[in-house]
Amino acid sequence: MSVQERKARERADRERLIVATARELAEQQGWDAVTTRRLAERIEYSQPVLYSHFRGKREIIGAVALQGATELAAAVRAAAAAEDGPRERVAALARAYLDFAERNPAVYDALFQLDGGLAYAREDTPAPLKDAFAALMETLGEVAGDALHPGVFTETFWAALHGLATLTRAGRLPAEFAAERVRLLVERLAVV
């Protein structure tokens, strides 16, 4: 291995460590607790080393969001693939999405609530974000119906899921009706 390859590998390892540490700290204590000083202390690197990877917290949030998008895409694909019929796949997708939001609140915030400097719904949207949307559309496109554009249907269904996730996390919706909400969403929106 050449010196350049070793340095590139070490740099990638440091970047993964920074992102993993930021994510862990955010999940434990919230994004306000994530500062470059605190991260530097936790990973035992100086702040200038952090700044050599990320210009600041915004870029770190963006890196966590991209990682989260990849995980969300995998989760909804796996859930949908485990079911047979279109409505069952949609229900599984919805449960997986809501479960992801519940289990990973800081990552969910990085994806959809905080400014990570990422472009959404544009040509320059990063590939992991496009893939997460594609993962939703693969299943939701099956039940959009002929009169609706699959992308528009996916956006609308996703907006409903996001609303449910956000309101549930904020304690605005009682948890005991979560399954009923998913059933209602699938029955009322999914055309099969």
Side-chain angles (χ1 to χ4, degrees):
M1 175 182 309
S2 73
V3 171
Q4 285 180 326
E5 290 172 329
R6 182 182 52 77
K7 284 185 179 193
R9 188 186 74 229
E10 289 171 354
R11 180 172 177 76
D13 288 345
R14 272 193 314 271
E15 192 166 299
R16 279 191 292 278
L17 178 61
I18 293 166
V19 171
T21 304
R23 180 177 175 165
E24 178 183 313
L25 186 58
E27 291 292 2
Q28 291 171 352
Q29 300 176 29
W31 278 105
D32 287 342
V34 179
T35 64
T36 53
R37 192 181 99 232
R38 227 172 183 184
L39 286 174
E41 288 171 3
R42 281 208 174 191
I43 64 172
E44 299 178 349
Y45 282 106
S46 67
Q47 285 181 325
V49 170
L50 286 172
Y51 285 117
S52 74
H53 290 274
F54 300 99
R55 285 181 285 196
K57 184 175 175 177
R58 181 179 186 220
E59 285 188 5
I60 293 169
I61 290 169
V64 170
L66 293 176
Q67 187 180 72
T70 299
E71 293 168 11
L72 177 60
V76 298
R77 281 186 174 118
E83 299 297 331
D84 289 327
R87 281 186 188 242
E88 291 81 6
R89 283 190 288 279
V90 171
L93 173 147
R95 287 189 301 272
Y97 183 97
L98 295 171
D99 182 56
F100 180 89
E102 183 182 335
R103 284 184 299 105
N104 306 283
V107 174
Y108 192 82
D109 286 346
L111 267 165
F112 301 121
Q113 305 287 87
L114 301 174
D115 179 10
L118 303 173
Y120 286 79
R122 297 190 336 213
E123 283 297 316
D124 60 339
T125 297
L129 298 178
K130 287 180 179 181
D131 187 55
F133 185 78
L136 296 173
M137 195 161 69
E138 289 162 11
T139 297
L140 294 170
E142 291 182 70
V143 296
D146 295 334
L148 291 175
H149 184 282
V152 173
F153 179 78
T154 300
E155 291 167 347
T156 304
F157 198 95
W158 171 33
L161 286 175
H162 177 70
L164 289 175
T166 302
L167 291 170
T168 300
R169 285 182 53 210
R172 304 294 198 269
L173 299 175
E176 67 264 19
F177 297 113
E180 181 69 11
R181 287 186 201 100
V182 168
R183 185 189 63 73
L184 181 64
L185 249 181
V186 173
E187 285 182 6
R188 300 291 187 215
L189 292 180
V191 178
V192 177

